[in-house]
Amino acid sequence: MQDSFQRAASLRPVAVDSESPAKPRHNAFAADTSASSNLNSSLPDSDNAPAVRLLTDTLQEATRRNASDLHIEPAEHGWRVRLRIDGVLHEIPQPPAHLRDAFITRVKVLARMDIAERRVPQDGRLRIATSPGRVEDYRVNSLPTLFGEKLVLRRLDALPTNLSLDSLGLDPQQREAVDAAIRAPHGLVLVTGPTGSGKTLSLYCFLHMLNDEARNLCSVEDPAEIQLAGINQVSVREKAGLTFAVALRAFLRQDPDVIMVGEIRDDETADVAVKAAQTGHLVLSTLHTNDAPAAVARLIDIGVEPYNLAAALRMVTAQRLVRRLCVACRAPAPQSAAALRAAGFADDRLDGWQPFAATGCEACHGIGYRGRVGVHQVMPGSDAMRELIVARAGTHELARLAQSEQVATLRDAALARVRDGTTSLTEALAATEVT
């Protein structure tokens, strides 16, 4: 990436959905002088070579560093490119200012977006060969800003080959509870957390475990980004009238065993999902709440009747992602006993142990972290929990019951990862809060 003009490899779009590959356009300037504003998109690849090489190197760097997103951000004088690595943005060496427009146009052409439209946001998708034998998918979004179009490219990486409950970061007790819930013949299993906390990956893991020829699995997502063999996947198209609720009702006439709903957003979707869970189907879904007890209150606030929710609810989990310390360079970071107590460690855990902190080395590109792992709160639907739900108990009452039933909080789960050296105390405190 340091010398993006020394390598001559260029990117070529790969045909998606049986479409023919996009071909370079010829210079139309002589035919239409009004097209001068779109000249960059009309030039052959040889004339756009610096921008092509820069895009090649940028995408290869994103792959090498396992970035999830690429941000191309124009400024008044120049532009910058940032990579989101393990949930945190990192800026790479600033590219030449004069390549900004050609770079953005190149991406839009490959993503089959309208290069003449710069006033409204656009969405696109591209499949591209970044190196011999390696093809990657990207979801592209453009946003008009004061100084030009900002692009965000989301890498649509394939599912990990070792996808399992253990790889999600669940401890043995949590794995046992989750496995029992998702293998139940019916009921509602919810995964909660903010955007970017790994909820969808958890649901894909559950589907992967349940995917066999004896079950009919259906999923509706917005959108379905990763194709899963053996699962009937539907993408929401609200403009055409295909919403989560419409797809759910259609699923119920498709003889399903397991239904996955990408997100419960409204009362109609929630009502259909809960009733499907009551009528002999296993329903998996996500919800945006801070912790597991809050999910119950949220569904009741949305409009689900408490007695229906109590009958359907099988389990609620909450999760966050924390960065893993680089094992090649992590170093002890002594903390006072008072600081460890304030973080949430019990006195009987302060036996001379000290946490690790990030340092940075060549293996982790100077960041100090490599990869992420989930921390989870797993709350089964017990009989006592169902009684509180029917009584419309508040979040605090549900949280107290969960604590009495030995349900660890997200902070407890994060501190356990600090204790075993997986992550740093700073990372654990930033990802979770005391409840």
Side-chain angles (χ1 to χ4, degrees), residues 129-144:
T130 56
S131 61
R134 183 181 181 91
V135 176
E136 292 193 341
D137 290 296
Y138 293 85
R139 188 184 70 199
V140 184
N141 178 263
S142 68
L143 178 70

Side-chain angles (χ1 to χ4, degrees), residues 89-132:
L89 285 171
H90 298 272
E91 187 171 353
I92 61 178
Q94 189 169 13
H98 70 280
L99 291 181
R100 184 189 74 178
D101 293 341
F103 185 96
I104 291 174
T105 299
R106 177 68 176 171
V107 174
K108 292 179 68 176
V109 167
L110 296 180
R112 295 178 172 83
M113 299 162 68
D114 185 357
I115 60 175
E117 180 57 77
R118 303 177 182 177
R119 299 165 298 175
V120 296
Q122 295 186 65
D123 290 300
R125 181 162 175 163
L126 63 91
R127 175 173 294 171
I128 206 162
T130 56
S131 61

Side-chain angles (χ1 to χ4, degrees), residues 60-390:
Q60 288 176 347
E61 181 73 359
T63 301
R64 187 173 71 89
R65 300 181 65 174
N66 198 30
S68 60
D69 301 85
L70 293 82
H71 290 243
I72 293 91
E73 302 170 312
E76 185 175 9
H77 304 291
W79 56 307
R80 67 176 178 179
V81 178
R82 294 192 290 175
L83 306 180
R84 186 174 294 279
I85 304 168
D86 297 332
V88 179
L89 285 171
H90 298 272
E91 187 171 353
I92 61 178
Q94 189 169 13
H98 70 280
L99 291 181
R100 184 189 74 178
D101 293 341
F103 185 96
I104 291 174
T105 299
R106 177 68 176 171
V107 174
K108 292 179 68 176
V109 167
L110 296 180
R112 295 178 172 83
M113 299 162 68
D114 185 357
I115 60 175
E117 180 57 77
R118 303 177 182 177
R119 299 165 298 175
V120 296
Q122 295 186 65
D123 290 300
R125 181 162 175 163
L126 63 91
R127 175 173 294 171
I128 206 162
T130 56
S131 61
R134 183 181 181 91
V135 176
E136 292 193 341
D137 290 296
Y138 293 85
R139 188 184 70 199
V140 184
N141 178 263
S142 68
L143 178 70
T145 67
L146 290 176
F147 304 112
E149 286 184 288
K150 177 183 185 294
L151 299 182
V152 174
L153 285 70
R154 164 66 60 88
R155 285 182 66 217
L156 305 178
D157 211 354
L159 291 179
T161 56
N162 62 338
L163 188 60
S164 64
L165 295 181
D166 184 58
S167 67
L168 295 180
L170 295 160
D171 64 34
Q173 183 178 356
Q174 292 174 334
R175 287 199 300 271
E176 183 179 349
V178 170
D179 187 70
I182 65 175
R183 295 193 184 280
H186 57 81
L188 177 65
V189 176
L190 294 173
V191 181
T192 70
T195 300
S197 59
K199 301 186 299 296
T200 302
L201 183 63
S202 293
L203 290 183
Y204 281 162
C205 177
F206 300 163
L207 290 176
H208 178 70
M209 295 174 61
L210 296 172
N211 188 12
D212 60 48
E213 62 180 15
R215 294 188 180 92
N216 177 21
L217 283 74
C218 302
S219 77
V220 54
E221 304 165 64
D222 185 19
E225 295 180 341
I226 300 178
Q227 298 177 6
L228 303 174
I231 298 173
N232 304 290
Q233 295 177 269
V234 175
S235 287
V236 166
R237 295 183 180 88
E238 293 190 357
K239 291 183 179 179
L242 181 57
T243 63
F244 280 112
V246 171
L248 267 175
R249 289 195 175 92
F251 285 169
L252 295 179
R253 296 187 290 273
Q254 290 283 318
D255 186 31
D257 296 295
V258 180
I259 298 173
M260 193 269 268
V261 186
E263 182 184 348
I264 293 179
R265 298 175 177 173
D266 51 58
D267 57 342
E268 187 179 13
T269 305
D271 183 65
V272 178
V274 168
K275 289 180 179 177
Q278 286 181 279
T279 55
H281 308 92
L282 180 65
V283 179
L284 313 173
S285 188
T286 70
L287 203 62
H288 285 97
T289 60
N290 291 329
D291 57 15
V296 174
R298 174 66 58 82
L299 287 176
I300 293 176
D301 290 342
I302 286 177
V304 177
E305 291 295 338
Y307 59 87
N308 284 332
L309 180 58
L313 190 63
R314 179 76 58 178
M315 170 174 286
V316 184
T317 72
Q319 66 183 64
R320 299 290 189 277
L321 292 176
V322 296
R323 291 182 291 174
R324 292 179 182 269
L325 285 166
C326 175
V327 295
C329 65
R330 66 180 184 179
Q335 299 282 339
S336 66
L340 294 176
R341 287 193 195 94
F345 285 102
D347 287 336
D348 59 354
R349 305 287 285 176
L350 306 179
D351 50 2
W353 162 87
Q354 291 294 337
F356 288 96
T359 302
C361 66
E362 185 177 350
C364 60
H365 306 284
I367 298 174
Y369 297 93
R370 294 187 67 184
R372 289 188 291 178
V373 65
V375 292
H376 303 262
Q377 179 185 29
V378 176
M379 186 180 78
S382 64
D383 291 337
M385 186 72 65
R386 293 187 178 91
E387 291 179 6
L388 286 183
I389 293 173
V390 173

